[in-house]
Amino acid sequence: MALFKGAGVAMVTPMKENEDINFEKIEELVEYHIANGTDALIVCGTTGEPSTQTVEEHMEAVGCAIQAAKKRIPVIAGCGSNNTRTSEYTSRKCQEMGADGLLMVTPYYNKATQKGLIEHFTRLAKGVDLPIILYNVPGRTGVNMLPETAVTLGKTCENIVAIKEASGNISQIAKLASLLQDDPCLDIYSGNDDQIAPIMALGGIGVISVLSNVAPQKTHDIAAAFLNGNMAEGAKLQLEAIELIEALFCEVNPIPVKTAMNMMGFEVGPLRSPLCTMDPKNEERLRKALINYGIKLVK
């Protein structure tokens, strides 16, 4: 059974002005997403700025979301690291806290070989009972998980159940889908908001989305259309969102999405250095895209 189908939000981590994590705001955002169609909460993935959090902060943020969600929708905890031992520790802690699943990015900076990736993820899978979503985002990590590697992990590790594909390479994702035809050991989630339609057309079951932070119901609706067999409607909704999606990625994620949420009045606070405020021209572009998409702004 799939961990979730539809649109999971890659949640921002709200901060106070002094850059401490705002746990009350996490609770508010959880309620907002549950009320507005989000199908799963992905906490402390890339959008949640885990690379500038201590392990203790990371675990507190995950625990806060788990407690707030109260099992109403799945909470999937980002536990990826370029240190296998760190990932082992955080994975066990998230399991103890009651997470429903884990999102594990390929080790960044180290640039592991495909053999190294298999050994890394196999070791992590053996350490927990929770379902694991692999996360392939070579533009940020410097390493690309090949389709054959992902399928090997899906076949050999019972609790590796899905992959978030953010390579941007539709040909590679098509290859992955073709390898899964005879043995569908992995579900595929789009990791890019501008590719929900093509990936779901290839058999994907949803998206782990940045767009969902600002338009949860509409993002849910894109995925739901495909899940309900209405590909034409899903494609139409996807195309309507392209201008905003492009604006949300005109600077490195999560700079634009946190800026957008602050424009909308969510008060998610600043970014932690080395991320910084947006260039004014890009900020104006983002503002126009939000308005054009029908989103009300208060700032």
Side-chain angles (χ1 to χ4, degrees), residues 195-204 221-240:
Q195 294 182 341
I196 304 170
I199 289 176
M200 292 193 73
L202 289 168
D221 291 346
I222 296 171
F226 279 90
L227 292 172
N228 292 330
N230 194 343
M231 296 179 69
E233 177 65 12
K236 174 179 175 289
L237 295 173
Q238 168 79 92
L239 295 175
E240 289 174 355

Side-chain angles (χ1 to χ4, degrees), residues 13-19 49 258 262 268-272:
T13 299
M15 305 282 182
K16 299 177 181 178
E17 287 306 312
N18 64 0
E19 297 186 8
E49 300 178 77
K258 276 191 121 174
N262 285 330
V268 296
L271 299 123
R272 282 189 177 176

Side-chain angles (χ1 to χ4, degrees), residues 9-174:
V9 62
M11 281 184 64
V12 302
T13 299
M15 305 282 182
K16 299 177 181 178
E17 287 306 312
N18 64 0
E19 297 186 8
D20 287 347
I21 294 176
N22 188 336
F23 295 103
E24 290 184 3
K25 188 64 66 173
I26 290 177
E27 294 172 355
E28 290 179 26
L29 293 178
V30 168
E31 294 302 326
Y32 166 72
H33 283 293
I34 290 173
N36 286 278
T38 295
D39 298 293
L41 305 167
I42 293 79
V43 186
C44 291
T46 303
T47 310
E49 300 178 77
S51 58
T52 50
Q53 296 170 22
T54 66
V55 171
E56 291 75 20
E57 286 178 315
H58 186 155
M59 293 301 95
E60 285 183 278
V62 170
C64 180
I66 291 168
Q67 291 297 315
K70 298 181 177 69
K71 295 296 181 182
R72 288 173 288 173
I73 59 174
V75 175
I76 299 161
C79 287
S81 172
N82 66 337
N83 183 332
T84 306
R85 291 184 177 186
T86 299
S87 285
E88 285 180 308
Y89 172 79
T90 55
S91 299
R92 288 194 299 267
K93 290 292 291 182
C94 289
Q95 178 167 291
E96 291 169 6
M97 289 189 294
D100 298 289
L102 305 172
L103 178 71
M104 292 185 173
V105 72
T106 52
Y108 40 87
Y109 188 78
N110 303 30
K111 299 189 76 171
T113 63
Q114 299 301 303
K115 177 185 176 184
L117 292 177
I118 290 171
E119 291 179 357
H120 169 80
F121 285 112
T122 299
R123 179 170 161 180
L124 295 177
K126 288 180 178 178
V128 291
D129 300 318
L130 291 176
I132 292 169
I133 303 174
L134 304 171
Y135 180 14
N136 188 38
V137 57
R140 295 193 80 125
T141 64
V143 60
N144 179 40
M145 178 180 287
L146 296 177
E148 294 82 359
T149 300
V151 172
T152 294
L153 286 164
K155 288 182 176 180
T156 58
C157 301
E158 185 177 355
N159 59 329
I160 293 181
V161 300
I163 182 168
K164 175 185 176 182
E165 241 299 347
S167 66
N169 185 340
I170 292 295
S171 296
Q172 174 170 299
I173 298 165

Side-chain angles (χ1 to χ4, degrees), residues 262-283:
N262 285 330
M263 290 178 182
M264 294 167 67
F266 281 106
E267 302 295 347
V268 296
L271 299 123
R272 282 189 177 176
S273 183
L275 299 184
C276 62
T277 56
M278 287 187 79
D279 179 275
K281 290 183 180 179
N282 288 334
E283 186 172 342

